[in-house]
Amino acid sequence: MDGNLNALTTIFTEFYYWVTVVFMFLIHVGFCMYEVGVSRRRNHMHTLMKNIMIIPLVTVTFFFFGWWIYWAFPNFPFFGGLNHEMGDPNLPWSETMGTNLSDRITGVFWAAFLLFSWTAASIVSGSVIERIRSSALWVHAVLIGSVFWIIDAAWGWHYEGWMVKYLGYHDAYASGVIHAIAGGYALGVLMVLGPRLGKFAKNGTPRDIPPHNPWMVTIGIFLIYTGFWGFYAACNVPAISPEAIGGEITGTTWTATNIYLAPTSLSAITFNFLMSLSGGLMAAYVVSKGDAFWTFSGGLAGIITASAGNDLYHPIQAMIIGAIGVVIVYKLHYWVERRFKLDDAVGAVAVHGYSGVVGLIISGFVLWGAPSSPFEGYATINPIGQTLGAVIMFFVLGFLPGWIVAKMQNAAGALRIPEEVELQGLDYAEHHTYEDAKSEIIEADKAYLANK
Amino acid sequence: MSTIGLESWAVDLAEVGPVYPFQGWEVAMTIVGVVFWLGWHRIQYLRENEHLKNVRDIGDKEKIAKALERY
């Protein structure tokens, strides 16, 4: 860190990403609360453990290979080989992947991406509760969290990614690279996994399985909103000079940028986050006829729909786009549920997957012709590139891997819990151990008292 | 053609102001936004009227007494 300005910028950037990581932890807390709140009492502990163990499993695998994929894969395998120059410093045995006083950014930047990985895995986790085997989900968590989402990030969420260069792909706050892929992946798993017992009547009519604790669900989603602030900030580079970017920008004015190093501001994304949240909440309230949980999820869906272009939209555009997205997503959710007998316990495929896809397509029109990158020769943002990008995210890197791996697990009898266990509840054994332990200690205390 | 008025970032940021799409349409966008907001109140008000009317018709004394017991 030569010079005071350089030192201040480095320390500020380090602290900035660190704060976003702490904020984003709330997303995972929110997902856990939401899942447990939605699940029935007989499945609580397993539902919670299934999601909690995503944290260590995705963390260690993201350290071992996920982070390297991001730096090595921007053009691999279609437009070039592995990028060893960028990849090697991010291998787990590299000197920069540890305490190193000449690199204060890699650790916090790695962590910011890692928290996105948890989110991607957690989105899948919610949709499959109460009937998937934890062992099966944890394999999916590693695949979506440390392999597939980070491949899509290398391709479409990296300043050198081939999707950005050739398609003009633009996805500033991850409509596609996190939400569409995770929703698509969840859909692939759900197609093989099947619905919970009793979800559909004999004539195919879906039954509602209400949450056991609505307040827990409510606080859970509000925590997700809160963590989403950190997510948005983490998608930016907080302060950088045109010289450091090394692209076409002239002059000496420093700026915040999106992940593609194209200018935006924290102020812009604060406007747009709140307006798209509001548009989503208002539209969801109307379209769901005041259903509380769809209204709350609609807020999230509104943000996700607008996220692809929230670095550039006008706040009113963000509000309207959020609202339009929610209406489409809500209708699509119930159509798919009835048509394909799909039991998505938390609506994750719709709220994340469909919103992400719709958001990408809309942004292709609204931002048509805008530069996707500060570097020369990149395609500009366009509807075809954004639509192709949505297909790659939702279907190619999301749905297909989820469906194929779930098929393999199903063939091996390793995907779904036995019917008897599903009826008794996953926590059956723990409940008995708890009750036995309780009676034993009460009896022991009574005996002690009697002998005194 | 670019909806944000810039076709590349080969500019001096000191000389750049707004970069949102469809600059010049702010008043029209505000009108659309206000219509959305007022429309929401209108729809919500009518639905609430209908809901309250339906609920009012459902209640008999016994049911209301039970509801009071629930606190």
Side-chain angles (χ1 to χ4, degrees):
Chain A
M1 290 194 293
D2 298 329
N4 289 342
L5 182 60
N6 194 10
L8 274 174
T9 308
T10 303
I11 297 293
F12 171 73
T13 304
E14 183 183 22
F15 188 67
Y16 174 93
Y17 284 119
W18 181 83
V19 170
T20 68
V21 171
V22 177
F23 262 107
M24 282 193 285
F25 199 91
L26 292 176
I27 297 178
H28 212 81
V29 177
F31 274 127
C32 284
M33 289 188 77
Y34 196 94
E35 277 188 39
V36 173
V38 165
S39 70
R40 286 163 287 182
R41 288 182 201 281
R42 59 185 195 261
N43 296 315
H44 279 174
M45 280 314 292
H46 269 77
T47 303
L48 182 59
M49 290 304 285
K50 177 171 66 58
N51 201 329
I52 289 291
M53 290 311 290
I54 286 173
I55 294 177
L57 292 169
V58 174
T59 300
V60 297
T61 51
F62 199 73
F63 185 87
F64 294 147
F65 50 82
W67 187 229
W68 170 79
I69 290 174
Y70 180 68
W71 293 102
F73 273 53
N75 292 295
F76 179 81
F78 307 115
F79 296 93
L82 292 170
N83 190 328
H84 294 292
E85 193 187 335
M86 286 200 296
D88 288 358
N90 297 290
L91 283 165
W93 50 80
S94 160
E95 286 178 352
T96 47
M97 290 294 282
T99 311
N100 185 328
L101 298 185
S102 67
D103 175 3
R104 295 163 192 268
I105 301 299
T106 297
V108 285
F109 206 42
W110 168 81
F113 273 68
L114 169 65
L115 272 284
F116 299 173
S117 304
W118 294 359
T119 297
S122 208
I123 290 167
V124 178
S125 167
S127 62
V128 295
I129 57 170
E130 301 195 306
R131 76 279 207 200
I132 198 166
R133 285 179 63 156
S134 296
S135 52
L137 185 274
W138 290 332
V139 171
H140 289 295
V142 169
L143 289 175
I144 182 80
S146 291
V147 180
F148 290 107
W149 109 262
I150 200 67
I151 292 176
D152 90 30
W155 290 358
W157 211 58
H158 186 293
Y159 62 89
E160 280 200 11
W162 69 264
M163 288 175 65
V164 188
K165 269 184 209 162
Y166 304 119
L167 299 179
Y169 184 75
H170 183 83
D171 191 8
Y173 303 101
S175 290
V177 296
I178 284 288
H179 300 285
I181 190 177
Y185 196 102
L187 181 64
V189 177
L190 285 170
M191 295 282 255
V192 184
L193 181 66
R196 287 170 288 181
L197 294 174
K199 173 66 188 175
F200 291 95
K202 276 188 179 163
N203 65 3
T205 313
R207 294 192 182 104
D208 190 25
I209 303 179
H212 96 277
N213 188 334
W215 312 120
M216 196 177 227
V217 172
T218 305
I219 296 170
I221 204 151
F222 288 0
L223 285 174
I224 296 172
Y225 291 167
T226 312
F228 219 151
W229 286 100
F231 183 98
Y232 256 56
C235 294
N236 275 8
V237 174
I240 190 167
S241 66
E243 188 189 359
I245 293 172
E248 296 180 290
I249 303 171
T250 60
T252 54
T253 304
W254 288 51
T255 181
T257 74
N258 59 26
I259 198 74
Y260 310 110
L261 302 177
T264 185
S265 69
L266 207 52
S267 188
I269 68 173
T270 306
F271 266 138
N272 292 344
F273 181 96
L274 284 167
M275 289 295 272
S276 53
L277 167 71
S278 303
L281 283 166
M282 288 167 78
Y285 183 92
V286 168
V287 78
S288 72
K289 298 193 166 58
D291 178 273
F293 304 107
W294 263 106
T295 302
F296 304 156
S297 294
L300 205 56
I303 302 169
I304 294 166
T305 309
S307 285
N310 259 352
D311 57 330
L312 291 170
Y313 290 152
H314 186 278
I316 296 175
Q317 293 163 353
M319 177 185 76
I320 298 293
I321 289 167
I324 291 170
V326 165
V327 175
I328 297 171
V329 159
Y330 179 83
K331 300 280 181 195
L332 204 52
H333 170 79
Y334 284 107
W335 181 79
V336 170
E337 184 179 82
R338 281 190 303 271
R339 178 78 179 76
F340 298 102
K341 306 286 171 283
L342 201 79
D343 176 16
D344 177 359
V346 295
V349 176
V351 171
H352 297 275
Y354 306 155
S355 297
V357 168
V358 170
L360 284 172
I361 295 171
I362 292 175
S363 66
F365 289 95
V366 179
L367 298 175
W368 203 338
S372 65
S373 162
F375 300 106
E376 199 178 350
Y378 280 52
T380 53
I381 303 168
N382 66 90
I384 296 171
Q386 292 297 91
T387 306
L388 282 173
V391 172
I392 291 169
M393 297 301 163
F394 186 88
F395 189 74
V396 179
L397 290 173
F399 179 87
L400 272 183
W403 185 82
I404 291 168
V405 175
K407 273 279 183 195
M408 289 162 63
Q409 290 173 326
N410 199 34
L415 180 65
R416 188 164 177 141
I417 59 173
E419 214 173 86
E420 298 78 9
V421 178
E422 190 175 341
L423 286 170
Q424 290 173 40
L426 280 155
D427 292 349
Y428 180 79
E430 281 85 345
H431 276 318
H432 277 259
T433 311
Y434 174 82
E435 290 301 331
D436 291 350
K438 210 169 78 177
S439 359
E440 203 175 320
I441 191 68
I442 289 170
E443 285 309 314
D445 283 349
K446 278 182 180 170
Y448 181 80
L449 188 67
N451 292 331
K452 209 175 172 188
Chain B
M1 184 211 77
S2 164
T3 56
I4 69 164
L6 289 173
E7 290 177 10
S8 87
W9 285 111
V11 289
D12 183 345
L13 295 180
E15 292 167 12
V16 178
V19 289
Y20 49 79
F22 309 116
Q23 292 151 41
W25 287 83
E26 290 84 353
V27 174
M29 287 195 288
T30 305
I31 291 169
V32 171
V34 169
V35 167
F36 173 72
W37 160 57
L38 292 175
W40 188 90
H41 281 296
R42 172 79 181 149
I43 293 168
Q44 194 275 335
Y45 178 77
L46 291 177
R47 285 210 184 138
E48 191 176 54
N49 273 354
E50 197 185 332
H51 170 72
L52 292 174
K53 185 175 173 296
N54 290 338
V55 173
R56 193 178 175 186
D57 293 343
I58 291 169
D60 56 38
K61 276 193 175 173
E62 201 179 323
K63 276 185 183 168
I64 294 169
K66 273 187 185 169
L68 291 174
E69 286 295 327
R70 270 177 57 198
Y71 188 58

